[in-house]
Amino acid sequence: MAVREPRRRVTIADVARHAQVSTTAVSKVLRNAYGASPAMRDRVKAAIEELGYRPQAAARAMRGRTFTIGVLIPHVRNPFFADLLDGIGEQLGGTDYQAILVQGGGTDLGAEARAIEALVDRQVDGILMIAPITPKARLEEVARWMPTIVIGRHERSTIYDAVFDDDDAGTELVVRHLIELGHRRIGHISQRNFGRGRPAALPHLTRAETYRRVMREHGLGDGIDVVTTTWTEEGGHAGTVELLSRSPRPTAVFAGADQPAFGALSAVHEAGLRVPQDVSIAGYDDTRMAAMANISLTSVDQDGALMGRTAARLLLERVEGRTAAMRFSVTPVLVARRSTGPAPTG
Amino acid sequence: MAVREPRRRVTIADVARHAQVSTTAVSKVLRNAYGASPAMRDRVKAAIEELGYRPQAAARAMRGRTFTIGVLIPHVRNPFFADLLDGIGEQLGGTDYQAILVQGGGTDLGAEARAIEALVDRQVDGILMIAPITPKARLEEVARWMPTIVIGRHERSTIYDAVFDDDDAGTELVVRHLIELGHRRIGHISQRNFGRGRPAALPHLTRAETYRRVMREHGLGDGIDVVTTTWTEEGGHAGTVELLSRSPRPTAVFAGADQPAFGALSAVHEAGLRVPQDVSIAGYDDTRMAAMANISLTSVDQDGALMGRTAARLLLERVEGRTAAMRFSVTPVLVARRSTGPAPTG
DNA sequence: TGAGGCATGGGCAACGTTGCCCGTTCTGTG
DNA sequence: CACAGAACGGGCAACGTTGCCCATGCCTCA
């Protein structure tokens, strides 16, 4: 097979010529617009089929529509985001909209800013932002340009919609679970704070705050111990090593998320301690790995697919014209597994 | 803060007016083109800064360039792809190009086809396809339209570049490792075959083929046992349950990838068997979870970041005009951990 | 002093699509 | 049979950017 020169792409004009109609007519058929007879519709559709015509998104963009939804994702390594994307994809399937993903960098404010600008420059019809660390003021600035849904943050906005997990409730579930098991010294692994916005807007801040509150409410203010790393396997490992070096050491660790919890499990293992006999470990997100029998990590399930579906639905509504702001919150559920058990006595 | 109407976006004409020059002049400055004095350059740059101007990708696209690289990814749930994306991002950082990701669905040929078309419709300057299942003929058709790099497939093409891991060598390493440990009955978990192209082009086919070859070369043709599922935790679990039901059951399982290997570990655990005393498990990809001390999965490391960087570099070269096809292969390394051990005697 | 070249800046058309508007033909009703 | 109104199809401009080309003015060199 020889290398042919790339032939010119089929345009609406080619279709019009082939179907013996005007370009306007073809456009009408494409958009299901008024003013096209069934006969013409068929003829044009046949021509489109025959020539393999596909509209060019760029030219459409110049007229205002791209049929593209931009999704800002901190980093694809976090498996929970995959659930969100599944939900988004499910909701968008069957519509004319296509999701494109852009990685924001996770902890790099500058990278995230560039990613957002990239989406704005590309004239997407709407943006879904997954747990952005960008200040709220900037999010609202973007939301004024184009329909925007923010996933995972708790602030109220009158300009964009919010879809989030009730991190407060979820954290309360898991910390109480540990306390009920008799734990008094419970370490917590949190993330470095990059945002400059209102505190507690980001999940890791809510979780840390609620952890502190619940501990205090149970008279365990002295047992509070927060280490700040990153929510990765490596971060969770390092944080747990630090917690285990305390004297007395905590008998349980709420890792804040499953990824650091996996690192915590490995750190406990390396220290020659047993889970849960010596140390209990709990995560958050209920990822698939958490359910594996040899891991069996206690976690908090937030329905990521539902959040994704809802976020995409809300965004489409906004694209279609809704302007009133909406909020949607998912109620988390504790999934107790074998990584948590009664506190060791003594 | 009130909801303002979205103001019109700043265009090149606004900048030109503000800087008292022509739009052509502004365009020249933007593109670092010839024919602009340093003085004018400064003036225009100041105006751009002042107005916060950003070029619109769609309008540029109509003139032939979008500064966008499309990345087709089967599914974000596979952690190995995150390494590839890190490499791609690293190489693209500092250039004017922005990567956008589109999910192909993994096992759904139709979804992948739509994803590829979405990228073509959006006039990206080049496409990086990660382990596509689309027939080669179609890949070449796309590659004639725009610069294309295919990651993970082994076929030769004169039209697109290929970047892949030497799956044959990697599989030989891991299967030999198991044989040297004394295993004779080694199960293998493979994936359903969706492609219709040349066999062995996709990694899972190469791995299965090489597994068979190495087994036979060591006189272990009778010990060959392949189950076909999907390369997910769930698939690996189900496949391993099936393998463990054999009589006699295999003493080792080469899971084909880390994700199914994790499922395999859990299945062995559930069956009340020990790893590696009763059953050895090996994966492929050397993901971060494999390195966790409590998992300690034997795996094969393929340098995903290097593959990603190389693929992105090759693509940029093609965007700049190279037409000769290139191939780049990464040499894998066996990482033996505690999930593999001597075959049980008797 | 004149010719040629270079540096600099701008005019213009074109990329593909769609919304607005206008003209023609057809249909139904008095 | 006349007329209003609907149905239908097409012309045209505009979206923002860039590549090609031309005009101007200055400098250099023979």
Side-chain angles (χ1 to χ4, degrees):
Chain A
M1 189 182 292
V3 183
R4 275 179 298 166
E5 266 311 292
R7 50 206 178 289
R8 204 176 52 75
R9 194 179 158 118
V10 177
T11 73
I12 206 171
D14 298 320
V15 175
R17 211 170 305 122
H18 194 262
Q20 313 257 53
V21 295
S22 69
T23 58
T24 302
V26 179
S27 178
K28 281 177 182 169
V29 173
L30 286 174
R31 294 173 290 125
N32 276 318
Y34 175 86
S37 63
M40 186 181 81
R41 214 166 272 280
D42 290 346
R43 205 136 57 89
V44 169
K45 280 188 175 161
I48 287 173
E49 190 72 22
E50 218 165 310
L51 298 178
Y53 165 77
R54 310 207 79 227
Q56 248 169 272
R60 288 182 144 181
M62 303 255 338
R63 302 285 309 174
R65 271 288 184 93
T66 53
F67 296 98
T68 305
I69 300 298
V71 180
L72 174 76
I73 185 170
H75 200 288
V76 296
R77 209 178 291 281
N78 186 330
F80 174 65
F81 298 153
D83 291 342
L84 289 176
L85 292 175
D86 282 347
I88 293 168
E90 202 180 310
Q91 186 73 27
L92 254 36
T95 72
D96 289 332
Y97 293 89
Q98 169 72 39
I100 66 173
L101 316 185
V102 171
Q103 282 204 87
T107 57
D108 180 344
L109 209 47
E112 185 168 292
R114 282 192 298 279
I116 291 175
E117 290 198 321
L119 290 174
V120 174
D121 292 346
R122 274 158 193 77
Q123 309 265 109
V124 293
D125 293 332
I127 300 189
L128 288 168
M129 301 196 195
I130 300 178
I133 58 176
T134 298
K136 183 185 172 202
R138 170 64 181 149
L139 296 184
E140 297 204 313
E141 209 174 301
V142 173
R144 272 188 216 101
W145 280 111
M146 48 186 56
T148 301
I149 314 285
V150 174
I151 300 177
R153 279 172 63 153
H154 297 203
E155 301 114 318
R156 284 177 189 284
S157 169
T158 54
I159 314 183
Y160 58 76
D161 298 338
V163 173
F164 52 92
D165 168 67
D166 188 342
D167 291 295
D168 189 61
T171 302
E172 182 142 5
L173 285 174
V174 68
V175 177
R176 284 201 153 168
H177 167 72
L178 292 170
I179 292 173
E180 280 161 14
L181 284 168
H183 295 278
R184 294 294 170 263
R185 295 184 306 280
I186 303 172
H188 176 53
I189 296 172
S190 191
Q191 261 197 120
R192 192 167 64 79
N193 189 18
F194 5 72
R196 287 191 273 280
R198 278 254 294 288
L202 283 158
H204 66 276
L205 293 172
T206 303
R207 292 178 197 172
E209 204 174 70
T210 301
Y211 154 80
R212 285 198 175 87
R213 174 176 64 71
V214 175
M215 289 292 277
R216 274 194 301 267
E217 282 174 9
H218 287 78
L220 301 176
D222 290 347
I224 292 175
D225 192 347
V226 178
V227 297
T228 301
T229 64
T230 55
W231 275 358
T232 60
E233 286 87 350
E234 292 79 5
H237 182 277
T240 304
V241 166
E242 188 179 332
L243 285 171
L244 293 181
S245 73
R246 307 276 202 253
S247 175
R249 64 161 190 260
T251 62
V253 175
F254 167 43
D258 279 5
Q259 268 189 299
F262 297 138
L265 288 174
S266 79
V268 172
H269 186 92
E270 279 174 15
L273 299 168
R274 292 161 304 160
V275 174
Q277 292 88 340
D278 299 312
V279 184
S280 286
I281 303 285
Y284 203 111
D285 288 344
D286 194 26
T287 55
R288 301 190 179 188
M289 276 303 285
M292 296 290 105
N294 55 322
I295 304 264
S296 194
L297 175 70
T298 292
S299 193
V300 177
D301 187 82
Q302 43 175 333
D303 193 334
L306 174 62
M307 289 173 71
R309 279 198 306 275
T310 306
R313 183 171 53 73
L314 292 178
L315 185 57
L316 291 185
E317 284 174 20
R318 272 200 181 265
V319 170
E320 305 295 338
R322 174 168 62 75
T323 57
M326 302 205 46
R327 287 162 69 75
F328 180 88
S329 154
V330 160
T331 302
V333 176
L334 179 72
V335 183
R337 295 201 182 89
R338 291 195 309 277
S339 73
T340 51
T345 48
Chain B
M1 189 181 291
V3 182
R4 276 179 297 166
E5 266 310 290
R7 51 207 178 288
R8 204 175 53 76
R9 195 180 158 117
V10 177
T11 73
I12 207 171
D14 298 320
V15 175
R17 210 171 304 121
H18 194 262
Q20 312 257 56
V21 295
S22 68
T23 58
T24 302
V26 178
S27 178
K28 281 177 182 169
V29 173
L30 285 174
R31 295 173 290 126
N32 275 318
Y34 177 85
S37 64
M40 185 180 80
R41 213 166 274 278
D42 290 346
R43 205 139 55 89
V44 169
K45 279 188 175 161
I48 289 174
E49 191 72 23
E50 218 165 311
L51 299 179
Y53 166 77
R54 312 207 78 229
Q56 248 169 271
R60 287 182 144 181
M62 302 246 356
R63 301 286 309 173
R65 270 288 184 93
T66 53
F67 296 98
T68 305
I69 300 298
V71 180
L72 173 77
I73 185 170
H75 200 287
V76 297
R77 209 179 290 282
N78 186 331
F80 174 65
F81 297 153
D83 291 341
L84 289 175
L85 291 175
D86 281 347
I88 292 168
E90 202 179 310
Q91 186 74 27
L92 253 35
T95 72
D96 289 332
Y97 292 89
Q98 169 72 39
I100 66 173
L101 316 185
V102 170
Q103 284 204 88
T107 55
D108 181 344
L109 210 47
E112 184 168 295
R114 282 192 297 279
I116 291 174
E117 290 199 320
L119 290 174
V120 173
D121 291 347
R122 275 156 194 79
Q123 308 266 110
V124 294
D125 293 333
I127 300 189
L128 288 168
M129 301 195 194
I130 300 178
I133 58 175
T134 299
K136 183 186 171 201
R138 170 64 181 151
L139 297 184
E140 297 204 314
E141 209 174 300
V142 173
R144 272 187 216 102
W145 280 112
M146 48 187 56
T148 301
I149 315 286
V150 174
I151 301 177
R153 278 171 64 153
H154 296 201
E155 301 114 318
R156 285 174 189 286
S157 169
T158 54
I159 313 183
Y160 60 76
D161 298 338
V163 173
F164 53 93
D165 168 67
D166 187 342
D167 291 295
D168 189 61
T171 302
E172 181 142 6
L173 285 174
V174 68
V175 177
R176 283 200 153 167
H177 166 73
L178 292 170
I179 292 173
E180 280 161 14
L181 284 168
H183 295 277
R184 293 294 170 262
R185 295 184 306 281
I186 303 173
H188 175 55
I189 296 172
S190 190
Q191 261 197 119
R192 192 167 64 81
N193 189 18
F194 7 72
R196 287 191 273 278
R198 278 254 295 287
L202 284 157
H204 67 276
L205 292 173
T206 303
R207 292 178 196 171
E209 203 175 73
T210 301
Y211 154 80
R212 287 198 174 88
R213 175 177 63 71
V214 175
M215 289 291 278
R216 275 194 300 266
E217 283 174 9
H218 287 77
L220 300 176
D222 290 347
I224 292 175
D225 193 347
V226 178
V227 297
T228 301
T229 65
T230 55
W231 276 357
T232 60
E233 286 87 351
E234 293 79 4
H237 182 276
T240 303
V241 166
E242 186 178 333
L243 286 172
L244 293 181
S245 73
R246 307 277 202 252
S247 176
R249 64 160 190 260
T251 63
V253 175
F254 167 43
D258 278 6
Q259 268 189 297
F262 298 138
L265 288 173
S266 79
V268 172
H269 186 92
E270 279 174 15
L273 299 169
R274 293 160 304 161
V275 174
Q277 292 87 339
D278 299 313
V279 184
S280 286
I281 303 285
Y284 202 112
D285 288 343
D286 194 26
T287 55
R288 299 188 182 190
M289 278 301 287
M292 297 289 104
N294 55 322
I295 304 264
S296 194
L297 175 70
T298 292
S299 194
V300 177
D301 188 82
Q302 42 174 333
D303 192 334
L306 173 61
M307 289 173 72
R309 280 199 305 276
T310 306
R313 183 169 53 72
L314 292 178
L315 185 57
L316 291 185
E317 285 174 21
R318 271 200 181 264
V319 171
E320 305 294 338
R322 174 168 61 76
T323 57
M326 302 204 46
R327 286 163 68 76
F328 180 88
S329 153
V330 160
T331 302
V333 176
L334 178 74
V335 183
R337 296 201 181 90
R338 291 195 308 278
S339 72
T340 50
T345 49

